[in-house]
Amino acid sequence: MTTLTAARAMSYGRLTAVRRHPLLAVLAVLVLVFQVTTGSFLDAGNLRGIATDAATLAIVAVPLALLVISGYLDLSVGSTLALGGLVAGWLAGEQHQSPVVAVLGALAVGAAVGAVNGVLCCYLGLSAFIVTLGMLTAVRGLAQQVFPLPLSGFGAGFAWLGGSRIAGVDAPVVIAALVLVAGASFLAFTPAGRHVFAIGVNREAAHLSGIAVRRAPFALFVVTGVAAALAGAIKASVLDSAVAGTSGAGFELTVLTAVLLGGVALSGGSGSVFGVLLGVLFLGSLQNGLTLLNVPAFWQQMAQGVALVAGAALAFLGPRTTR
Amino acid sequence: MTEPNLRIRGLTKSFGGVRALDGVDLTVPGGRVHALLGHNGAGKSTLIRCLGGAFPPDAGTIEVGGTSHTRLSPRESIAAGVAIIFQTLSVVDSLTVAENIFLGQEWTRYGRIDRRAQEEVAAGLLERVAATCSPRDRVSELPMGQRQLVEIAKALSRSASVLVLDEPTAALSGTESEALAERVEDLRTQGLAIVYVTHLLGEVERLADEVTVLRDGRVSHHARMTGQSRRDLVEAITGRTSKGRGAYHGAAPPRGHDQPPPTPRPRPNRLTLDALQGPRFGPVDLTVAEGEIVALYGLIGSGRTSLLETIYGRHPATAGNLHVGTRTVRPSRPSDALAARIALVPGDRRAQALFPVLSAQDNALLPSIRRMARLSIRSTRAERRVFGTLSDAVALRPARPDLPAAAFSGGNQQKLVLGRWINEAREVDVLLLDEPTQGVDIGARQEIYGVVRTLAAERGTAVLFASNDPEEVVALAHRCLIVRAGRVAGELSGPELTEAALLSAVHEGAA
């Protein structure tokens, strides 16, 4: 028995970063290939573009990953993103509110959507897949009802959110970095971070261990809603426009793809913020590189889909990791 | 003499350099019951799986009905006449009994399933195993014992000559176990070769003609049952002589009638139930004194589990009171019970207690990491230290904080779950245990008893445990309450507390 467990122990032993995150090697190869083929992939300007694009993805992917680790799921983020952008733009533009008020307004709307999801899923025990799929449609409908016309012209103050630079780095990238650090710290250093894993692995066992099994996932639903609305506000600021019908359409699937590529198990209980970062960078690089190579958008979409399935196969064949 | 139905010779199987089976021989003629014993990890499951074709052996032969095989696929195994009834049954809940019996070998007529013919034949098979269910019953509506009989009927429908039962009574009630024992005896008379895998020595003594004990992948003992003493078997399984070094951690000597646990002096009550009522039980009055170990003995479904879970706040109590010491508590969720220093080790380890992919340390300390944290930041150092003393206290093997719980044996998993409530960061006054050694091998079982005894004796913890294993009750309890239909139907203590008394107490009201 001891020998058998010892053999198992070896396979569970310290894995190097690459073995733990096979995506790291894939990303490196991808970057290399794009640099060789385009010659300009690693230029500062291009990297900055990738970072800005990836930033909104990361801001939502991190809380969504935590939610998935705790055994839940949020598909409504695409519509929440649209609604957040519209509310922020409307407050900043038509209502001539300060950018701070505009952003806070968007966050409040995101929190409300998240709270609805959270109450229905965590406290009433409905299926997160069904609830958030319904909310995806409902929130989109709400956005189109309230803002039937495209909004734009949000003013110079609001443009600060997406366009300003802090110590030479674009504001969205700084925000994304803060979110990544916060997410990783939460998982590593706080008791609640460990509880999230426990709830995702075995909710009943967590409950019987005295862990509050509803509170943390509920909070994560709210945070995910807030993050989606924040990402919406950032996008509205960058583009200086927001459209109820199209803003963030399909975003929920892109962000979920990033989370799953990053090694977060859809069944809950395993995943890491570093993995999510890799997933986000991978998708961002893929899209950017293919665009540089003038690959048509439909092919890009196909590549994204293939990457996800290939990633799942890789995770299935590769070493099983925890954390 | 005719060929034995099953003859295994020199079976060897390694996993990544580790020998799980090392030259194992096993011969079972028709009309015999052969018990297979051993610790979890001793090689029993590997042996069964090689037999069932789950993986090919590295060396050795498997002879079934005179035909020798060096390897079997699952299909070949069935065709050769081997039927394995696993602990986790493979019946399909949403199908009927007859559909299950003929699953994969449906009888058809003009391309359609011939239900009537299937049901007729199924009825005959069910009669052979004395099942009371009808071929048209949906399996999801049947109790465990009947489901198992359905699976045995399925084996018979494939005219199996070798029947392997893997811990068949683990999920059965006392009466169901008794009924199963009778079926096994019938099937023996009908000429089947039966391999009976179990942890329960009482079943071995009752049913087996021969016994093989595996240890570390080898046959450590093989004998006819006549003239076997229980001590011989225990020694063969554990590999320890009863005189050996102080192998049992902080523990009293192994169980036996010769050394009943000492009855403590009268002490104040730690746990008092005052006409407590809840789902499927009550009203129940009982007390557990400081340092006392009290058993709730009864059949599965008698309300024992529900009673423990209600004390722990998993179900709401509908009436009555619960006191811890002199305080009245009314837990509405487990965290309330924990705040009152009551803890539960649940009965279904996999579903209710374990986090398989999380580390051993997380498994043992998750409920307490908040207490060890400073300013909401986890203290890794405190966690390591507490885990270290904890893993010593429960004799965890291997004593590795980083391994996932799934990599541990059942006994060591149970030590992790038990360790949750008996470490520096979290001590309790009342410990509730539901089937504390379900799926735990004999060696670890003794260690767990030792830990519980030490806890009661040294810290004065009041222990209330539910069990349907008379051996366990006699070995561990100072006092035993007989639970029947949700009520306390009797009490046994001191010299009255014997396995025979427990069995007769339960069977009196069982019919």
Side-chain angles (χ1 to χ4, degrees):
Chain A
M1 179 205 84
T2 36
T3 35
L4 191 68
T5 27
R8 282 200 196 133
M10 275 161 55
S11 67
Y12 283 113
R14 289 203 181 133
L15 297 170
T16 58
V18 173
R19 282 194 64 201
R20 207 188 273 273
H21 299 286
L23 191 60
L24 197 58
V26 179
L27 181 62
V29 171
L30 189 75
V31 168
L32 197 70
V33 168
F34 281 146
Q35 175 60 20
V36 170
T37 49
T38 64
S40 59
F41 184 78
L42 287 175
D43 291 358
N46 191 51
L47 289 181
R48 189 181 157 198
I50 294 176
T52 320
D53 285 346
T56 44
L57 203 54
I59 289 168
V60 184
V62 170
L64 180 65
L66 302 187
L67 195 59
V68 174
I69 291 172
S70 75
Y72 293 86
L73 178 70
D74 188 351
L75 293 171
S76 68
V77 289
S79 299
T80 311
L81 181 141
L83 189 61
L86 288 159
V87 168
W90 174 74
L91 286 170
E94 285 186 22
Q95 300 298 309
H96 306 291
Q97 297 290 332
S98 80
V100 175
V101 172
V103 171
L104 288 179
L107 299 191
V109 170
V113 175
V116 172
N117 284 332
V119 167
L120 294 176
C121 299
C122 304
Y123 289 94
L124 298 184
L126 302 182
S127 149
F129 187 93
I130 293 171
V131 166
T132 62
L133 184 65
M135 286 294 278
L136 176 70
T137 315
V139 171
R140 179 72 65 186
L142 178 72
Q144 285 173 312
Q145 176 64 41
V146 178
F147 304 103
L149 300 174
L151 302 181
S152 61
F154 305 144
F158 188 67
W160 182 89
L161 179 63
S164 68
R165 309 189 80 178
I166 301 164
V169 183
D170 291 297
V173 179
V174 173
I175 296 172
L178 291 176
V179 170
L180 284 159
V181 170
S185 309
F186 171 76
L187 285 187
F189 302 129
T190 70
R194 287 325 279 170
H195 291 171
V196 163
F197 281 99
I199 296 165
V201 174
N202 190 342
R203 196 168 174 277
E204 172 71 0
H207 178 58
L208 289 178
S209 300
I211 293 170
V213 291
R214 293 166 170 173
R215 205 184 301 153
F218 173 79
L220 288 173
F221 267 114
V222 174
V223 172
T224 305
V226 167
L230 176 62
I234 291 171
K235 281 206 164 172
S237 165
V238 170
L239 303 169
D240 196 30
S241 82
V243 188
T246 56
S247 289
F251 179 79
E252 61 284 339
L253 297 182
T254 311
V255 74
L256 193 60
T257 304
V259 166
L260 299 180
L261 272 175
V264 177
L266 196 53
S267 51
S270 101
S272 71
V273 170
F274 181 67
V276 172
L277 171 64
L278 291 178
V280 166
L281 289 179
F282 176 82
L283 281 191
S285 304
L286 187 68
Q287 205 169 17
N288 177 281
L290 294 178
T291 308
L292 290 182
L293 291 171
N294 288 319
V295 174
F298 295 135
W299 284 108
Q300 291 190 21
Q301 218 173 343
M302 241 183 82
Q304 231 182 60
V306 169
L308 178 63
V309 177
L314 199 74
F316 182 73
L317 300 171
R320 310 205 67 184
T321 59
T322 57
R323 248 149 210 288
Chain B
M1 192 189 149
T2 53
E3 280 290 308
N5 290 15
L6 175 69
R7 176 181 280 155
I8 291 173
R9 280 182 179 149
L11 203 68
T12 299
K13 175 75 190 171
S14 301
F15 294 101
V18 182
R19 286 240 159 140
L21 283 179
D22 194 355
V24 170
D25 299 329
L26 183 75
T27 305
V28 191
R32 292 291 172 81
V33 175
H34 197 119
L36 189 60
L37 295 175
H39 276 315
N40 287 343
K44 290 173 306 188
S45 331
T46 313
L47 180 69
I48 298 177
R49 293 202 183 147
C50 285
L51 191 54
F55 30 67
D58 300 335
T61 55
I62 299 172
E63 259 178 63
V64 188
T67 320
S68 181
H69 306 264
T70 52
R71 57 181 297 170
L72 287 165
S73 72
R75 203 175 264 268
E76 288 165 348
S77 169
I78 293 169
V82 177
I84 303 179
I85 314 294
F86 284 104
Q87 241 177 84
T88 42
L89 298 175
S90 57
V91 283
V92 181
D93 283 359
S94 54
L95 299 183
T96 67
V97 169
E99 284 165 347
N100 264 289
I101 291 175
F102 291 97
L103 193 63
Q105 43 167 9
E106 286 82 1
W107 289 16
T108 54
R109 209 176 155 183
Y110 310 122
R112 294 180 54 213
I113 291 180
D114 189 349
R115 278 173 189 282
R116 191 173 299 170
Q118 283 195 2
E119 282 164 10
E120 241 163 63
V121 177
L125 292 166
L126 291 172
E127 202 168 310
R128 244 179 102 187
V129 296
T132 54
C133 59
S134 135
R136 292 186 182 186
D137 287 345
R138 225 157 264 289
V139 164
S140 56
E141 291 157 9
L142 299 179
M144 278 316 279
Q146 291 292 314
R147 293 184 195 198
Q148 206 166 40
L149 293 177
V150 169
E151 196 141 358
I152 295 174
K154 182 174 169 182
L156 295 178
S157 79
R158 299 177 178 214
S159 48
S161 64
V162 177
L163 181 66
V164 182
L165 297 165
D166 183 15
E167 293 195 43
T169 56
L172 298 188
S173 70
T175 26
E176 285 178 327
S177 301
E178 182 51 36
L180 180 74
E182 285 168 17
R183 293 299 75 71
V184 170
E185 285 170 339
D186 288 351
L187 295 169
R188 165 167 55 193
T189 324
Q190 293 172 20
L192 264 74
I194 297 168
V195 179
Y196 196 97
V197 182
T198 185
H199 285 305
L200 302 176
L201 298 181
E203 293 181 358
V204 177
E205 286 163 348
R206 154 99 199 255
L207 291 170
D209 302 302
E210 280 182 61
V211 61
T212 289
V213 180
L214 293 182
R215 194 171 70 234
D216 299 331
R218 294 191 190 156
V219 174
S220 71
H221 187 70
H222 170 232
R224 286 183 179 277
M225 273 309 288
T226 35
Q228 278 293 297
S229 80
R230 186 169 282 205
R231 177 179 291 197
D232 292 340
L233 294 177
V234 171
E235 280 175 14
I237 292 163
T238 57
R240 297 164 184 155
T241 60
S242 33
K243 292 179 191 167
R245 57 219 153 82
Y248 301 109
H249 174 85
R255 76 167 89 91
H257 308 280
D258 37 318
Q259 276 165 312
T263 316
R265 288 169 274 112
R267 283 173 156 181
N269 287 336
R270 272 273 169 95
L271 177 71
T272 309
L273 269 56
D274 179 8
L276 194 75
Q277 270 181 277
R280 293 187 298 283
F281 76 86
V284 167
D285 292 281
L286 70 82
T287 58
V288 185
E290 193 179 299
E292 195 181 20
I293 304 175
V294 176
L296 293 170
Y297 176 72
L299 306 176
I300 285 176
S302 59
R304 303 165 319 172
T305 296
S306 180
L307 173 60
L308 290 182
E309 290 183 348
T310 303
I311 299 173
Y312 190 55
R314 185 170 180 243
H315 310 295
T318 49
N321 285 309
L322 178 62
H323 312 279
V324 177
T326 52
R327 282 199 308 139
T328 303
V329 292
R330 191 167 276 280
S332 62
R333 58 176 72 91
S335 49
D336 298 344
L338 286 166
R341 298 173 65 89
I342 304 174
L344 169 74
V345 173
D348 187 340
R349 186 163 56 245
R350 206 184 303 178
Q352 298 183 301
L354 210 66
F355 305 107
V357 298
L358 299 188
S359 69
Q361 182 175 314
D362 276 346
N363 268 274
L365 298 184
L366 267 171
S368 319
I369 48 178
R370 186 158 269 150
R371 299 173 152 221
M372 290 180 270
R374 290 183 160 200
L375 302 169
S376 298
I377 303 295
R378 287 169 63 201
S379 165
T380 336
R381 189 185 299 174
E383 287 176 24
R384 283 280 143 141
R385 185 174 49 78
V386 171
F387 183 82
T389 35
L390 160 72
S391 69
D392 286 348
V394 298
L396 184 73
R397 274 187 305 271
R400 292 263 307 264
D402 54 324
L403 285 188
F408 288 81
S409 69
N412 283 290
Q413 290 175 348
Q414 189 72 345
K415 290 178 194 171
L416 289 172
V417 176
L418 184 62
R420 277 180 197 160
W421 314 122
I422 57 170
N423 57 65
E424 277 173 67
R426 169 88 69 177
E427 292 181 5
V428 293
D429 295 335
V430 177
L431 184 62
L432 311 170
L433 306 163
D434 191 4
E435 296 288 354
T437 59
Q438 180 100 281
V440 168
D441 60 80
I442 290 180
R445 205 172 275 197
Q446 293 298 343
E447 288 167 343
I448 287 172
Y449 295 158
V451 170
V452 173
R453 287 193 195 105
T454 312
L455 203 64
E458 290 175 8
R459 291 197 203 157
T461 309
V463 179
L464 180 63
F465 75 98
S467 178
N468 64 351
D469 178 3
E471 284 179 30
E472 176 162 279
V473 171
V474 172
L476 192 56
H478 297 127
R479 192 154 62 85
C480 174
L481 303 173
I482 313 290
V483 184
R484 199 183 296 145
R487 295 188 178 224
V488 175
E491 178 171 339
L492 293 169
S493 63
E496 296 176 318
L497 184 52
T498 62
E499 288 182 35
L502 289 168
L503 285 169
S504 60
V506 144
H507 290 297
E508 267 166 32

